[in-house]
Amino acid sequence: YVVKNTYPHDTGAFTQGLLFHKGYLYESTGQYNQSTLRKVDLKSGKVLQKTQLPGDVFGEGATVVGNQIVSLTWTSQVGYVFDIETLQLKQRFHYVGEGWGLASDARQVYMSDGSSFIRVLDPKTLKETRRMQVTADGQPATQLNELEMVDGELFANVWGTDRIARINRADGKVTGWIDLTGLLPPEQRGTSNVDAVLNGIAYDRSGRRLYVTGKLWPKLFEIELVPKLRR
């Protein structure tokens, strides 16, 4: 990767979902009694709007579906649908098991749960229609976390690592890995919290810009992907 730009990021944001929509970042954050959905100015990192989630849920991933933002919770088995303009809650929906990451390609919504499986949801009903197993070299790829759709590929943070999996959304096969080692060394993550890991992928489709950050990180990066040199 090559870093194109660096922007400030709220070190209090336990980043679970990150997305770019019409010039702004939208971020869902986690932790009990601290989970939020927020609209953020990219250049300054300033939070422009914020909605607090109930204190007894742990916020997880989020994605845009039409003129709404859909978000998950970790173990509460409940998701939320917010108006994208006001960030006001419009409805709730339910699912079985854990919720981790979300992404959408307008026709379908993709949901991770920490396993090697991606659930495919109907964008209107948010009901599960099928599941696909993600594999790399024939083996299950687990710990799939925050998701983003990038030029037809599904990108997934691998929790606890500095890698992003590039997934074929048709068959679940990992077509490649993005190695972000060194993007923000551990000593620069501004916290002793072991959870301050890489997590958060946002893609500006019109500008073809890719953004990444981490939980509690002081910085958000615009990166460009480049082929890895082989020795």
Side-chain angles (χ1 to χ4, degrees), residues 41-58:
D41 178 71
L42 170 65
K43 291 186 178 180
S44 68
K46 181 180 178 181
V47 177
L48 304 175
Q49 287 176 268
K50 182 168 69 173
T51 292
Q52 197 82 24
L53 272 61
D56 61 346
V57 303
F58 194 114

Side-chain angles (χ1 to χ4, degrees), residues 62-90:
T63 191
V64 173
V65 179
N67 61 353
Q68 302 174 134
I69 294 178
V70 179
S71 75
L72 301 173
T73 59
W74 182 23
T75 59
S76 301
Q77 302 188 87
V78 62
Y80 300 103
V81 180
F82 298 92
D83 182 273
I84 200 167
E85 297 297 331
T86 64
L87 300 191
Q88 294 301 303
L89 178 65
K90 297 181 66 176

Side-chain angles (χ1 to χ4, degrees), residues 166-187:
R166 302 176 67 158
I167 303 166
N168 184 320
R169 58 182 168 164
D171 59 16
K173 292 182 178 179
V174 174
T175 61
W177 300 95
I178 300 168
D179 183 357
L180 293 177
T181 300
L183 178 65
L184 188 70
E187 64 272 15

Side-chain angles (χ1 to χ4, degrees), residues 21 26 46 60-61 63 73 76-77 82 91 108 110 116 123 129 155 166-167 184 188 193 196 198 200 208 226 228:
H21 181 74
Y26 291 82
K46 181 180 178 181
E60 286 284 344
T63 191
T73 59
S76 301
Q77 302 188 87
F82 298 92
Q91 68 183 78
Q108 299 179 113
Y110 301 86
S116 63
T129 60
F155 283 22
R166 302 176 67 158
I167 303 166
L184 188 70
Q188 294 181 28
N193 193 321
L198 180 77
R208 299 182 65 82
V226 295
K228 186 173 183 179

Side-chain angles (χ1 to χ4, degrees), residues 101-206:
L102 278 180
S104 175
D105 60 4
R107 294 178 299 170
Q108 299 179 113
V109 176
Y110 301 86
M111 172 182 168
S112 64
D113 59 13
S115 71
S116 63
F117 286 90
I118 297 290
R119 308 182 192 192
V120 182
L121 313 181
D122 180 279
K124 293 183 179 179
T125 66
L126 298 175
K127 298 292 186 182
E128 183 178 334
T129 60
R130 64 183 178 92
R131 295 190 184 194
M132 64 177 178
Q133 186 172 36
V134 178
T135 60
D137 298 322
Q139 299 299 312
T142 62
Q143 302 296 301
L144 303 175
N145 200 359
E146 214 270 315
L147 304 176
E148 181 66 65
M149 192 63 63
V150 180
D151 291 338
E153 281 187 305
L154 192 59
F155 283 22
N157 280 118
V158 180
W159 182 76
T161 76
D162 286 335
R163 296 202 301 171
I164 293 173
R166 302 176 67 158
I167 303 166
N168 184 320
R169 58 182 168 164
D171 59 16
K173 292 182 178 179
V174 174
T175 61
W177 300 95
I178 300 168
D179 183 357
L180 293 177
T181 300
L183 178 65
L184 188 70
E187 64 272 15
Q188 294 181 28
R189 297 184 183 184
T191 176
S192 59
N193 193 321
V194 295
D195 291 325
V197 297
L198 180 77
N199 200 54
I201 312 166
Y203 186 56
D204 172 9
R205 291 170 178 78
S206 61

